[in-house]
Amino acid sequence: MHVAEREPEADFEPLLQLEMEMGTFLSDWHHCDQLSTFVARMISLNRTDPVRHSNFFSSALNELLEVLFRGGFPDGQIGCAVYRQGPTERVKLTFPCPPRQRHFLNEAVAKARRGDALARYLDSISTDLAPPRDAVLLDLTINFDALIHLEDSAPSSITLVVDLPLEGIVT
């Protein structure tokens, strides 16, 4: 894992943006997979290996959407925007976030950015217990080399920003 500075927003080209009522999103677990598959197919067409890129992006976005699904607040809207700069896709998920969820996300993002993220990730997946919800962010940091941060939105919302350098992933 490397620690890198995130690129300024102006350096990213907008690719796709969608909004959905949170109540509708939370009404069916399959929405996570459906949205991630749709978005991945739309943005992967002009990549070196579109199928591979789509699979990686869909997996990463699905995990992020599942974090929202598990801790989701049914009022308001979820917004998903995808941007690109070179080999990196930036996902911005904006969603209603009560104070308790905001605290969890702040801690989870901080843990994913710490130097012991790999050890914490390995520990979380090596037990018989279900991995904690913050393991998803650790997974993205370790396995996708993602940079993750939060932005404050409206007082009752938050934006999770994830930079995914998928075009540079070596398998």
Side-chain angles (χ1 to χ4, degrees), residues 1 20 31-32 37 39 60 66 80 88 109 112 119 121-122 127-128 134 139 141 147 152 163-164:
M1 178 179 96
M20 180 182 225
H31 289 148
C32 298
T37 300
V39 172
E66 287 182 8
C80 178
T88 302
V109 168
Y121 174 69
L122 293 174
T127 66
D128 290 337
D134 63 351
D139 174 48
T141 301
L147 295 175
D152 286 323
D163 289 349
L164 298 160

Side-chain angles (χ1 to χ4, degrees), residues 59-109:
S59 294
L61 183 58
N62 187 57
E63 292 296 323
L64 291 169
L65 292 172
E66 287 182 8
V67 167
L68 298 186
F69 189 90
R70 286 187 222 126
F73 188 67
D75 296 331
Q77 290 190 327
I78 179 176
C80 178
V82 182
Y83 303 85
R84 176 174 293 156
Q85 179 201 32
T88 302
E89 261 65 63
R90 174 170 283 176
V91 177
K92 293 182 81 169
L93 292 174
T94 303
F95 52 95
C97 188
R100 185 172 167 194
Q101 177 77 351
R102 185 178 298 264
H103 179 73
F104 161 77
L105 286 169
N106 280 318
E107 285 189 7
V109 168

Side-chain angles (χ1 to χ4, degrees), residues 33-54:
D33 180 56
Q34 292 164 341
L35 285 172
S36 62
T37 300
F38 171 77
V39 172
R41 287 181 179 168
M42 292 294 104
I43 68 150
S44 298
L45 294 174
N46 63 348
R47 285 305 200 177
T48 309
D49 185 343
V51 173
R52 177 182 170 277
H53 187 271
S54 180

